[in-house]
Amino acid sequence: MSSSTEAKIQNGTAKICIIGLGYVGLPLAVSLAQVGYRVIGYDMQQNKVDAINQCQSYILGISNESLFNIKHNGLFSVTADSNQIKGIDIFIICVPTPLTKNKEPDLSYVISTSNLITNLLTLGQLVILESTTYPGTTRGVVKPILESSGKIIGKDLFLAYSPERIDPANKDYNIINTPKLVGGITPKCTELACLIYSKITQSIVPVSNPEVAEMAKIFENVYRSINISLVNELAKLCEAMDVSVWQVISAASSKPYGFVPFYPGPGIGGHCIPLDPHYLASKAKEFNFRSRFIEVAADINEQMPLYIARQIVEMLNLYKKSVNGAKILILGIAYKKDVPDTRESPSIVIIDELLKRKAEVYYHDSMINGESSEVNDLATATDISQTTLASMDCVIIATNHSNYDFNFIIEESRLVYDCRGATSQMQRDNVYRLGEKLDFRNSTL
């Protein structure tokens, strides 16, 4: 039954449905449409559908022009109506995989999407899961739902896992030149999934089964989580020992082998790194295995915004200024440099902690421009003019966007606390950095 789907992929007539039009799904949909496939995007959020229909991109790296071109050519359409996604050859699932309040995996979107697809199945279809999840999801969760239709994976249908590897704001790597992992339930499942991805990706890496691909994706992000936690803990130790963590990292980076630099910060954000360790730790418990190393690393990173808030209190105390009533400006609420994304942002936690201490909190983010309703409920958006900076008791560099003029910010501010090392080459009495000792420097508020 795969011959028809295979032929359609080869001759460019395969009809593809991308379910979930977020940071993963929309770039994938655009890439497939740009090489000539007919793509339907499905998302239950009507505001996303409306934006795309107006050719207004909400994803960094996807231009309004690219949306206009593929829609104008009839290669891309979007809908929030499941009745409009019939007659599909390939379904690709790109839905969120969040955590519950108890930090347990929440696969409700994957499950509901699988149920939706089951009602639309025809012989020979290929289904690919891209959402980040724990090993065993494709085989143990998606496969049984699809096979409840009476169709058999590997015979009547084809199922594979291929994890997304999107890195927002990365100017060197994208969908085209980032190797694509693919693991199918059967060899034919893997072959078909590799075939469609080969049309948009230069390098395909087939693996023996979905579990390898699922674990590899989790491992990639846990690796980062652990190394970030290590350098965050090192920053605290360096502060206690009065050694600059930024100079330490720079010195260690001179070694040409055996060392990869990671940098401290106010915490971790985005969809993957804060969540993936919990997905793996939760799955490990099913095997009576406690992943202590992974859990400790996640805890260290989650505590960093609280540590930053305490550092601000201590810094203000050095100058006999109470945090209660202090005017504090947070620079950067995005979780990462040069991205307009506030998901799991540590800046939001810092704002909340300072508000609990009765500070008067303002924020500015050059990538978001006061458009984050989540943050607007907590703090007040403002500019970073000379007048604004001078009026603040403290300015916190929480995200080091490239278009910030840090020399100007330092020059016009009373006190600056730098969480990102953006000022590590600047020695000024009014600047304090994460990982460096707090001490009184005769500056005045």
Side-chain angles (χ1 to χ4, degrees):
M1 290 294 180
S2 67
S3 58
S4 174
T5 301
E6 184 174 356
K8 289 180 179 179
I9 294 173
Q10 292 285 28
N11 63 29
T13 61
K15 192 173 182 181
I16 303 169
C17 178
I18 308 296
I19 301 181
L21 298 175
Y23 287 85
V24 176
L26 185 58
L28 179 62
V30 170
S31 295
L32 287 164
Q34 286 176 333
V35 297
Y37 288 101
R38 175 77 173 85
V39 180
I40 297 179
Y42 174 78
D43 200 293
M44 294 180 65
Q45 296 186 44
Q46 188 64 47
N47 62 321
K48 291 184 177 180
V49 173
D50 293 341
I52 295 172
N53 279 329
Q54 295 168 19
C55 297
Q56 297 295 316
S57 175
Y58 46 84
I59 298 295
L60 186 70
I62 301 298
S63 68
N64 296 341
E65 182 182 9
S66 64
L67 290 179
F68 175 83
N69 289 338
I70 56 178
K71 285 180 62 61
H72 180 73
N73 292 335
L75 295 172
F76 185 43
S77 62
V78 290
T79 183
D81 181 3
S82 60
N83 291 317
Q84 302 301 314
I85 54 174
K86 297 177 180 178
I88 299 297
D89 298 299
I90 303 170
F91 286 102
I92 304 180
I93 303 171
C94 302
V95 297
T97 45
L99 295 173
T100 66
K101 291 182 179 180
N102 296 325
K103 296 186 178 179
E104 295 293 327
D106 178 3
L107 294 181
S108 58
Y109 294 103
V110 172
I111 292 170
S112 62
T113 300
S114 299
N115 282 318
L116 171 66
I117 291 173
T118 300
N119 295 324
L120 302 168
L121 288 176
T122 57
L123 292 177
Q125 285 174 317
L126 170 63
V127 179
I128 304 172
L129 176 63
E130 283 216 6
S131 305
T132 302
T133 185
Y134 58 74
T137 301
T138 306
R139 189 184 303 274
V141 177
V142 179
K143 180 174 178 285
I145 294 174
L146 298 181
E147 289 189 331
S148 69
S149 66
K151 299 178 177 64
I152 305 301
I153 300 297
K155 177 184 177 184
D156 307 311
L157 304 168
F158 303 89
L159 175 62
Y161 181 75
S162 182
E164 57 88 6
R165 280 175 160 176
I166 297 292
D167 186 17
N170 192 319
K171 297 179 181 179
D172 297 320
Y173 291 98
N174 50 46
I175 288 178
I176 295 173
N177 64 359
T178 300
K180 198 81 170 87
L181 297 178
V182 180
I185 295 292
T186 68
K188 192 62 182 181
C189 295
T190 302
E191 180 185 335
L192 287 176
C194 286
L195 184 60
I196 185 60
Y197 284 121
S198 71
K199 305 303 179 181
I200 58 171
T201 304
Q202 294 171 350
S203 176
I204 307 295
V205 183
V207 296
S208 60
N209 55 56
E211 289 79 10
V212 171
E214 290 163 336
M215 180 65 92
K217 169 60 177 178
I218 290 283
F219 178 53
E220 291 168 11
N221 288 328
V222 167
Y223 168 84
R224 293 171 67 190
S225 173
I226 287 173
N227 280 281
I228 292 170
S229 72
L230 173 62
V231 76
N232 278 335
E233 191 150 87
L234 180 67
K236 294 179 183 179
L237 177 60
C238 283
E239 190 229 330
M241 299 178 67
D242 196 12
V243 177
S244 170
V245 71
W246 307 101
Q247 293 182 34
V248 169
I249 295 170
S250 177
S253 297
S254 66
K255 186 178 182 180
Y257 59 90
F259 180 81
V260 177
F262 284 80
Y263 299 91
I268 51 177
H271 176 71
C272 289
I273 300 180
L275 277 62
D276 290 2
H278 295 288
Y279 265 73
L280 188 55
S282 177
K283 188 64 178 179
K285 292 175 184 176
E286 294 183 19
F287 298 87
N288 197 31
F289 183 91
R290 183 181 176 190
S291 50
R292 292 178 294 171
F293 201 47
I294 295 170
E295 293 176 33
V296 168
D299 183 63
I300 289 171
N301 289 327
E302 288 167 8
Q303 293 299 313
M304 284 305 294
L306 310 182
Y307 174 77
I308 296 298
R310 291 193 297 271
Q311 289 287 90
I312 300 305
V313 172
E314 184 176 341
M315 183 180 68
L316 290 171
N317 283 341
L318 286 173
Y319 296 90
K320 299 181 179 180
K321 177 67 179 181
S322 171
V323 69
N324 188 334
K327 295 181 68 174
I328 299 175
L329 172 61
I330 309 287
L331 287 185
I333 58 168
Y335 80 89
K336 180 183 176 182
K337 178 180 179 179
D338 296 340
V339 301
D341 187 351
T342 62
R343 290 178 300 170
E344 307 295 328
S345 173
S347 294
I348 296 173
V349 181
I350 294 171
I351 290 173
D352 189 55
E353 288 299 311
L354 293 172
L355 289 173
K356 288 177 183 177
R357 293 166 170 82
K358 307 301 181 183
E360 188 178 330
V361 184
Y362 300 81
Y363 79 91
H364 180 274
D365 193 302
S366 57
M367 296 295 296
I368 296 173
N369 297 320
E371 298 172 2
S372 173
S373 59
E374 180 182 15
V375 182
N376 286 335
D377 291 339
L378 297 174
T380 303
T382 188
D383 60 18
I384 50 170
S385 64
Q386 182 180 33
T387 301
T388 298
L389 292 171
S391 70
M392 296 295 161
D393 295 306
C394 174
V395 175
I396 303 173
I397 301 173
T399 311
N400 53 329
H401 293 313
S402 297
N403 55 10
Y404 277 141
D405 184 344
F406 293 110
N407 280 303
F408 171 77
I409 290 166
I410 292 171
E411 185 69 30
E412 303 302 332
S413 302
R414 302 180 190 181
L415 283 177
V416 175
Y417 188 90
D418 179 6
C419 302
R420 299 286 187 173
T423 66
S424 59
Q425 302 301 315
M426 309 173 194
Q427 297 304 316
R428 292 287 299 275
D429 284 346
N430 66 328
V431 179
Y432 294 83
R433 281 174 284 270
L434 171 63
E436 294 182 354
K437 191 174 182 63
L438 291 175
D439 56 356
F440 183 72
R441 300 174 184 169
N442 295 315
S443 292
T444 57
L445 282 178

